[in-house]
Amino acid sequence: MSETFYVVPEAQHNALVEAAYKKRGYSGQEAAAAARFCAEATRHGIRTHNAIKALHLDHLFGSGAGGCKPKAKIEKVKTRFRGAQVWNANRKLGQATGYAAIETAIKLADRYGVGMVSVDNAFHYLWGGGYVMEAARRGYIAYTNCTAALSEVVPFGGKYPTLGTNPHSWGFPTAAAIGYPIVIDWATSVVAMGRVQQLAREGKQLPPNAAVDENGTPTTDPTKAKYLLPFGGHKGYGLSLMNELIAGFIGGSLPTLRNRWDKVGDDKGTCCFFFQVWHPDAMNAGAFAKGRNQSENVKAVIGDILGHGNDACMLPGQPEAQAAARSASNGGLLFSEAEINAFNEVAAEIRQPKWEIPTLKVAV
């Protein structure tokens, strides 16, 4: 039997989320960016990075622990490269920083063909796919990675967690070809810790070989999962390591100190972001077969991949597009009963009206 979801009007969702962030000292602009981002994640079915996760992270490692500074100002670091910017985010809210970085990278790509923004002293920006999807919708190819909030992943062949879940996110402007942007977005662990928390909330089990308990024993019980394992063995490990190295070049902290504010001392404990956007015209060689233009050629490539009996295959970004279509047809954001109960805990904490399930429409 499929899970029941209830429809919450986006304005109602955003009002609660903005109020929660303002209560914690964030500016109206920061709170609006946070609510906008959480709504986008929910709209596209990214339940692991909705407002429940965002506010939980902020409580544990953000404004509640000094890892994020409400109303912080981004400082631009001098660089001799015109197509690149380097920022000191000064622990500004991750969603607000992420939106600003992707917009800046787009502007740089418009001018130089490719734009790059490296961000030091950041606070986690949550779902990387949301930023590259925004760029892809507007006709750009985009990439981002970040160092995750904590080192929770055991490296391949190791026994102690020294890596973050360290996601990679790509967005491609394929709406003209298939109706939606292809978005490749994944944590480098088998599952993200947000998925562990979601499955625990929903009373479901983890897949095998995704996590270990505090003794290093594999477990499928999300309530016992202490550390995570990289996907694909050494391959996922290598991709996770890539994020740590990129952050290391930017100025990132030691992974095992990140957001461990009781252990940082005179070292650093902040995350790093990396954004890159390029204009498709900047990579157009022009020699397309059969007189196709660039867009037609991309469509032909996708058609060939899904041909030859592969028409039932799923494209990355397809589940998100389907979730967005379902959200739109229901006229709001979709939440399970467990998620609504979690939002009502937030509402009670900040003395806002609760979401009464009997008043909400059941999603179809």
Side-chain angles (χ1 to χ4, degrees):
M1 185 176 178
S2 61
E3 190 172 14
T4 299
F5 289 94
Y6 299 90
V7 183
V8 176
E10 187 169 340
Q12 184 176 348
H13 164 272
N14 289 358
L16 177 61
V17 176
E18 286 189 38
Y21 274 95
K22 288 178 182 177
K23 181 74 172 179
R24 299 179 186 197
Y26 291 99
S27 69
Q29 186 178 30
E30 289 171 325
R36 170 192 168 194
F37 185 86
C38 293
E40 281 293 291
T42 301
R43 184 188 343 278
H44 289 91
I46 310 299
R47 300 172 65 196
T48 57
H49 289 76
N50 61 18
I52 300 168
K53 172 71 170 181
L55 290 166
H56 182 64
L57 273 178
D58 183 67
H59 173 70
L60 289 179
F61 311 116
S63 63
C68 191
K69 302 289 187 183
K71 302 175 184 173
K73 302 295 183 184
I74 294 171
E75 172 191 353
K76 291 184 180 179
V77 180
K78 261 192 166 184
T79 176
R80 61 191 173 91
F81 302 102
R82 293 184 179 181
Q85 290 193 15
V86 180
W87 295 359
N88 176 2
N90 286 310
R91 306 190 191 186
K92 188 175 181 65
L93 184 69
Q95 301 97 307
T97 304
Y99 275 137
I102 198 71
E103 289 294 335
T104 297
I106 286 171
K107 289 177 181 177
L108 291 171
D110 278 338
R111 185 168 184 181
Y112 301 109
V114 61
M116 187 174 88
V117 178
S118 303
V119 185
D120 194 14
N121 286 319
F123 183 67
H124 204 301
Y125 63 15
L126 296 162
W127 172 45
Y131 305 106
V132 297
M133 183 183 288
E134 174 68 22
R137 280 199 200 107
R138 291 155 60 179
Y140 302 88
I141 300 167
Y143 170 74
T144 183
N145 74 40
C146 70
T147 47
L150 295 174
S151 57
E152 301 173 301
V153 179
V154 178
F156 180 70
K159 60 182 181 179
Y160 187 82
T162 56
L163 299 167
T165 52
N166 293 359
H168 290 253
S169 306
W170 288 88
F172 294 88
T174 54
I178 58 174
Y180 55 87
I182 285 180
V183 175
I184 302 169
D185 172 71
W186 69 92
T188 48
S189 52
V190 176
V191 295
M193 192 56 80
R195 177 73 68 188
V196 175
Q197 294 161 350
Q198 178 209 334
L199 293 175
R201 190 164 54 239
E202 306 291 346
K204 297 177 181 178
Q205 294 293 295
L206 286 163
N209 302 315
V212 295
D213 64 18
E214 60 184 6
N215 299 313
T217 304
T219 182
T220 59
D221 184 344
T223 66
K224 294 181 180 178
K226 181 72 172 177
Y227 306 128
L228 303 174
L229 297 173
F231 77 81
H234 65 285
K235 297 178 181 179
Y237 163 53
L239 287 169
S240 183
L241 179 62
M242 183 190 302
N243 292 29
E244 300 293 354
L245 294 175
I246 288 172
F249 278 100
I250 294 171
S253 61
L254 302 182
T256 53
L257 291 180
R258 200 157 51 239
N259 281 301
R260 313 277 187 180
W261 300 112
D262 58 334
K263 299 178 181 179
V264 169
D266 61 355
D267 212 304
K268 291 175 72 171
T270 48
C271 299
C272 287
F273 304 157
F274 177 77
F275 288 84
Q276 194 166 41
V277 172
W278 55 101
H279 199 295
D281 288 352
M283 56 195 306
N284 188 339
F288 303 113
K290 297 186 175 181
R292 292 190 290 257
N293 62 26
Q294 188 180 55
S295 178
E296 290 167 342
N297 200 57
V298 169
K299 184 175 182 178
V301 168
I302 294 171
D304 191 47
I305 291 167
L306 297 183
H308 315 285
N310 294 333
D311 51 293
C313 291
M314 180 185 71
L315 284 170
Q318 185 174 335
E320 291 85 347
Q322 291 169 343
R326 187 183 182 194
S327 297
S329 67
N330 279 281
L333 305 177
L334 310 187
F335 296 101
S336 69
E337 182 174 354
E339 289 169 330
I340 288 174
N341 289 337
F343 275 106
N344 283 341
E345 291 178 9
V346 174
E349 179 186 334
I350 62 173
R351 298 183 180 181
Q352 292 290 312
K354 291 185 176 182
W355 298 348
E356 302 294 343
I357 287 179
T359 68
L360 300 175
K361 183 177 76 173
V362 177
V364 295

